[in-house]
Amino acid sequence: GGLLRWGIPEYRLPNAIVDRDIADILEVGIELRTSTPVTDLASLFNQGFDAVYLATGALSSRRMGIPGENTPGVMHALSFLKKVNLGQKVEIGNRIAVIGGGNAAVDAARVALRLGAQDVTIIYRRSREELPALAEEIEEAEREGIKLHILANPTRVLTADGKLKGLRCVRMQLGSPDAGGRRRPVPVEGSEFDVEVDTVIIAVGQEVDKETLPSNLQFTSFGTLQVDPETLQTNVEGVFAGGDVVSGPADVIAAIASGRLAASSIDSYLGG
């Protein structure tokens, strides 16, 4: 449940609402243990627990794999949003480029604007019609003054004396459909152009961090946990999973729905 607190901006999901929902959960008698990392599922069963539900999310930011990506001033959307939501000071300058087209990209752009940035641009490699972010979020962002640069993709982070200076991008055109049915973006030869920026925020996707999960769990080809679609039980007896760790990045209500399904499945598993 961490993303509800630090991954979604206050203007979209106020902390007061999260506080209220957590209070409602605790009031029914559920025990909450914080600062308690779990590294071995067997230890939980040894403590007397009869079932485990994994809801650890997809909190690893996908990298672009371009030269200069580790330059200071280049950050990932999740870490950027977390710092802002936790009240930490974030220096971003005036010219911001956000790479990606999902809700996290739009969130990062709108938060950057609220931090005082003067020029915020979202760079997306496909067409506007293929933007995965909610249409109303994109429209709100544009009304606030955020620019949308579609059919463009960064190829290199530009530096001078080890400091961020800009982005080298290439224009894209839509080619033949990919495995998902969307037309594949193809670079246009000789169309490179440079953009001056003070900060780059990368928001090209999130992944499940397998290193934080037990090695005996099975994963899908997409890198998410493999579960029974009807019961949400993993390949390990008594261990269930749901939310983004199973579906990949989705919305809050989908995670809540999977939690309810898993609760029902666990009740049946325990003889209810």
Side-chain angles (χ1 to χ4, degrees):
L3 275 177
L4 297 183
R5 175 69 72 193
W6 55 260
I8 302 176
E10 172 81 11
Y11 70 87
R12 285 189 62 194
L13 180 60
N15 282 328
I17 292 177
V18 179
D19 291 338
R20 184 193 67 196
D21 282 1
I22 292 173
D24 289 345
I25 292 169
L26 298 181
E27 280 179 8
V28 302
I30 291 172
E31 179 187 351
L32 174 65
R33 298 183 187 177
T34 61
S35 302
T36 309
V38 175
T39 57
D40 180 15
L41 292 178
S43 67
L44 293 176
F45 291 106
N46 291 336
Q47 292 175 46
F49 292 106
D50 298 309
V52 175
Y53 177 62
L54 298 172
T56 51
L59 305 181
S60 181
S61 297
R62 188 173 293 143
R63 298 176 58 82
M64 293 197 66
I66 61 175
E69 191 170 358
N70 295 324
T71 301
V74 178
M75 59 186 76
H76 289 267
L78 282 187
S79 59
F80 168 68
L81 292 170
K82 183 174 184 177
K83 288 180 180 179
V84 174
N85 285 359
L86 293 179
Q88 299 175 6
K89 189 174 182 180
V90 184
E91 299 285 353
I92 59 171
N94 287 321
R95 299 167 300 182
I96 315 299
V98 180
I99 315 303
N103 287 323
V106 178
D107 284 347
R110 297 181 71 184
V111 168
L113 203 64
R114 284 159 172 76
L115 290 179
Q118 301 298 311
D119 185 348
V120 182
T121 302
I122 295 174
I123 300 176
Y124 181 58
R125 63 181 184 154
R126 296 180 186 267
S127 68
R128 184 187 180 97
E129 290 70 31
E130 294 174 296
L131 279 165
L134 295 171
E136 56 266 32
E137 291 291 325
I138 298 169
E139 292 166 5
E140 285 288 336
E142 289 185 306
R143 274 197 288 268
E144 291 176 353
I146 292 169
K147 290 179 284 188
L148 186 61
H149 196 147
I150 59 170
L151 290 172
N153 200 43
T155 59
R156 174 182 292 272
V157 175
L158 303 176
T159 62
D161 300 323
K163 295 181 179 180
L164 174 65
K165 290 298 180 183
L167 276 177
R168 177 153 296 161
C169 301
V170 63
R171 302 192 191 283
M172 311 291 283
Q173 61 185 5
L174 297 180
S176 57
D178 59 18
R182 296 195 300 175
R183 293 176 64 189
R184 190 186 309 275
V186 180
V188 177
E189 188 175 350
S191 66
E192 290 83 2
F193 63 97
D194 294 345
V195 179
E196 292 186 6
V197 295
D198 299 313
T199 298
V200 174
I201 302 175
I202 299 174
V204 294
Q206 299 159 225
E207 301 173 320
V208 174
D209 186 356
K210 293 183 179 181
E211 299 300 318
T212 63
L213 294 166
S215 58
N216 58 337
L217 291 169
Q218 290 182 357
F219 291 83
T220 69
S221 59
F222 298 103
T224 55
L225 276 181
Q226 180 85 52
V227 298
D228 183 300
E230 293 187 3
T231 66
L232 297 188
Q233 185 167 206
T234 69
N235 62 295
V236 178
E237 180 76 14
V239 178
F240 300 75
D244 288 4
V245 73
V246 169
S247 66
D251 51 40
V252 172
I253 199 64
I256 293 173
S258 68
R260 289 180 176 271
L261 172 59
S264 179
S265 296
I266 290 170
D267 182 54
S268 298
Y269 170 77
L270 298 177

